[in-house]
Amino acid sequence: MNHALPTRRRALALAGAVGLGSMALASCGDPSRQMTSADASSSAPLTLSLANSLDPQHVTSKALAAFATEVEERSEGRLRISMFDSGQLGSEPQVLGQLRQGIVDMTRVGSPGLAAWNPGYHTFGLPYVFDSEEHYYAALDSDAMQRFFTSNEDAGLLGLTYFTSGARSFYTANTPVRTPEDAAGLKIRIQDMRTQVRMMSALGASPIVMAFGDIYTALQTGLIDGAESNETALDQSGHGEVAKCFSLTEHTRIPDLLTIGTPAWERLDEQDRTTLREAAQAATENHKKDWATSIEESYSAAAEMGVEFIEDIDQEAFREATREVVDEFGADFPEVADVLAIIDQARG
């Protein structure tokens, strides 16, 4: 039996509790939510919910499913994880609130979304703070960064591990973006992040915040000139049908964070906390390889769709044009300055 998949009844129970915003109702509807891991057994397991806004076929969703399987196996069936993919329990900001209340136990979230509870997470939305993929992994795998991820327990949430979401670049209907001047005046869809608004402003582009699901039509109708994401958007979301220029600016590398709420963490004894940490770290290592394969597949599929990949990018010019954004956030938030120092140390 695949315990990582939610039953319809449990999904409806949790969704109803979320809609009412009531931890008490969630607990009454599901007695296991009052259980601690010390009470759990293979015949009466402690089941933790994991909310994820991505499609279940996404490479990161598959990593989360593997994490759930690993937790069940390592705990000999005492701990189980129910997956709620495709935003079943709400948007990422909504789920983070539910996490802190104990309505939802765990979630995968784009790391800048945690900045409301720790401004240091703004760092991951800043442009060109990582020199390369190698530098990115060295920084995120460092002991100092791991301590940062676990430093927010008092705020009601705690990071278990990260998952890469690749380098983000600009893609447009038909306009190559090789220099900052090429971006000036373009209407670019962005995520609802303060860092991205400032980055677009520094480049002279017009930031347009909209849902990811609206990008295809907005590109098709000319409401926007382009968007920014990794290569998987081209084939897995079909954007390569309406966006024919993908400029490898690689301006940000934004990790996802697997986060557990403090209420759920407090229900686990130390041995089971170790089980979750080790299973999460194993999932991250496997995901690195799977992500690289996914990007290669998307690149090939997009090329067959007629997408042109623009590689002669003046990244140093982009770095200089957006340096003021990094300096501004470092000056405004001491926590950002601290994370930037960890990233700098990883340069060796």
Side-chain angles (χ1 to χ4, degrees):
M1 182 179 295
N2 184 357
H3 298 287
L5 296 176
T7 64
R8 176 172 175 79
R9 186 168 69 177
R10 179 169 168 79
L12 291 173
L14 256 179
V18 166
L20 292 172
S22 169
M23 178 180 175
L25 181 58
S27 298
C28 290
D30 185 353
S32 72
R33 299 189 64 76
Q34 300 176 352
M35 180 189 294
T36 68
S37 67
D39 304 320
S41 66
S42 59
S43 58
L46 171 62
T47 300
L48 301 174
S49 57
L50 199 167
N52 172 32
S53 62
L54 299 174
D55 182 274
Q57 295 307 309
H58 191 280
V59 62
T60 304
S61 298
K62 292 178 180 179
L64 293 171
F67 161 72
T69 299
E70 185 80 2
V71 167
E72 182 171 349
E73 290 178 352
R74 287 175 181 249
S75 68
E76 298 181 339
R78 295 174 50 259
L79 300 179
R80 295 178 185 173
I81 296 174
S82 287
M83 296 285 297
F84 297 88
D85 294 313
S86 302
Q88 293 179 64
L89 300 184
S91 67
E92 290 186 9
Q94 289 172 331
V95 169
L96 283 172
Q98 299 156 18
L99 200 76
R100 299 174 71 241
Q101 297 174 57
I103 297 172
V104 176
D105 298 315
M106 290 183 284
T107 189
R108 178 221 55 85
V109 61
S111 50
L114 297 166
W117 293 278
N118 185 331
Y121 282 99
H122 280 306
T123 311
F124 300 111
L126 293 173
Y128 297 105
V129 295
F130 299 106
D131 299 339
S132 63
E133 182 177 74
E134 292 74 19
H135 177 216
Y136 168 82
Y137 282 136
L140 267 64
D141 290 334
S142 68
D143 290 342
M145 191 68 80
Q146 294 301 309
R147 287 193 294 272
F148 170 72
F149 288 153
T150 59
S151 66
N152 305 304
E153 189 172 354
D154 290 344
L157 41 84
L158 182 142
L160 289 174
T161 192
Y162 74 92
F163 295 105
T164 185
S165 62
R168 300 180 72 90
S169 295
F170 293 114
Y171 59 98
T172 63
N174 50 31
T175 304
V177 180
R178 293 182 171 90
T179 68
E181 290 74 21
D182 293 333
L186 295 180
K187 295 174 292 184
I188 303 293
R189 180 267 177 182
I190 61 168
Q191 297 168 289
D192 189 8
M193 293 181 188
R194 180 175 168 182
T195 49
Q196 289 200 334
V197 172
R198 282 291 295 114
M199 179 180 71
M200 293 302 170
S201 176
L203 293 173
S206 298
I208 308 295
V209 175
M210 67 171 58
F212 184 83
D214 295 334
I215 294 176
Y216 186 103
T217 301
L219 280 166
Q220 189 176 45
T221 60
L223 180 62
I224 59 175
D225 299 305
E228 58 84 51
S229 189
N230 59 67
E231 292 89 336
T232 62
L234 298 173
D235 68 320
Q236 295 182 16
S237 300
H239 295 178
E241 297 174 4
V242 290
K244 298 304 181 181
C245 286
F246 191 95
S247 302
L248 290 157
T249 52
E250 298 185 336
H251 46 267
T252 54
R253 296 178 185 271
I254 303 177
D256 290 338
L257 207 68
L258 175 58
T259 306
I260 186 168
T262 299
W265 189 245
E266 291 177 344
R267 293 161 63 198
L268 303 175
D269 63 26
E270 195 55 44
Q271 179 179 346
D272 290 323
R273 290 178 177 182
T274 299
T275 294
L276 254 66
R277 287 195 188 101
E278 291 179 349
Q281 290 167 2
T284 292
E285 291 306 308
N286 290 328
H287 180 260
K288 291 178 183 179
K289 295 174 286 188
D290 293 340
W291 181 267
T293 299
S294 178
I295 291 297
E296 290 176 3
E297 292 173 349
S298 291
Y299 192 104
S300 297
E304 292 180 2
M305 297 166 75
V307 175
E308 178 184 7
F309 287 90
I310 311 299
E311 298 184 3
D312 55 333
I313 308 296
D314 190 348
Q315 286 199 358
E316 188 55 35
F318 277 100
R319 187 184 300 273
E320 286 301 318
T322 57
R323 191 180 301 277
E324 65 185 55
V325 182
V326 179
D327 293 342
E328 174 188 310
F329 275 81
D332 289 349
F333 301 104
E335 299 90 344
V336 169
D338 290 343
V339 178
L340 287 172
I342 294 173
I343 293 172
D344 187 56
Q345 291 169 5
R347 288 187 170 91

